[in-house]
């Protein structure tokens, strides 16, 4: 077993990698956000999921202001090393719209259908 090095991941041209957050135990897909190598390292060190906010150009520890935290259970790397899956224990809604998940709009029928209201 080799030590994990965040620089071994395949980041995009902005130094970012997508990270999908999934609820521990249920498999529910909660959200997707971006990480850079330092956010990956901070997440592993603290077990508090830390993302990189592109709009604020700063680190974003999930739940730091809202209280809707994500505790890291496991961090997984995909086969191409260009996407991460964070298995988390989510407290409160994951979405900034105050919904449980960010994926609350269905377009399968051709129309946009809202699947859940804010909590």
């Amino acid at each position: 077993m080799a030590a994990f090095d965040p620089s071994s991941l395949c980041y995009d041209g902005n130094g970012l990698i997508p990270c999908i957050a999934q609820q521990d135990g249920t498999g529910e897909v909660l959200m997707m956000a971006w990480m850079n190598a330092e956010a990956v390292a901070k997440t592993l060190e603290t077990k508090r999921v830390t993302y990189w906010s592109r709009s604020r150009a700063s680190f974003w520890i999930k739940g730091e202001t809202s209280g809707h935290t994500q505790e890291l259970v496991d961090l997984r790397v995909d086969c191409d090393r260009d996407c991460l899956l964070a298995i988390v224990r989510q407290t409160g809604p994951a979405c900034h719209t105050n919904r449980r998940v960010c994926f609350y709009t269905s377009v399968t029928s051709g129309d946009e259908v809202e699947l859940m209201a804010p909590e």
Side-chain angles (χ1 to χ4, degrees):
M1 183 181 328
F4 175 71
D5 178 3
S7 70
S8 71
L9 299 172
C10 296
Y11 298 92
D12 70 10
N14 295 313
L16 301 174
I17 189 170
C19 181
I20 299 164
Q22 183 180 46
Q23 178 64 41
D24 182 45
T26 69
E28 180 180 35
V29 176
L30 301 170
M31 59 177 282
M32 190 288 291
W34 298 93
M35 290 183 168
N36 61 17
E38 193 173 348
V40 173
K42 286 177 182 275
T43 296
L44 291 169
E45 178 186 327
T46 66
K47 304 297 186 230
R48 294 184 65 200
V49 182
T50 302
Y51 298 106
W52 178 257
S53 171
R54 295 176 301 166
S55 61
R56 294 187 300 257
S58 63
F59 292 105
W60 158 41
I61 300 170
K62 184 68 175 160
E64 190 172 47
T65 56
S66 68
H68 303 157
T69 59
Q70 289 179 350
E71 175 191 354
L72 183 68
V73 174
D74 191 14
L75 187 64
R76 299 182 185 174
V77 179
D78 83 330
C79 57
D80 294 322
R81 302 187 74 79
D82 63 358
C83 188
L84 300 173
L85 176 65
I87 311 296
V88 302
R89 287 189 193 100
Q90 175 72 42
T91 300
C95 185
H96 74 281
T97 65
N98 214 34
R99 289 173 174 85
R100 173 75 185 154
V101 304
C102 292
F103 300 97
Y104 60 85
T105 304
S106 173
V107 295
T108 304
S109 67
D111 296 320
E112 288 193 24
V113 178
E114 188 174 296
L115 302 174
M116 69 184 67
E119 292 185 9

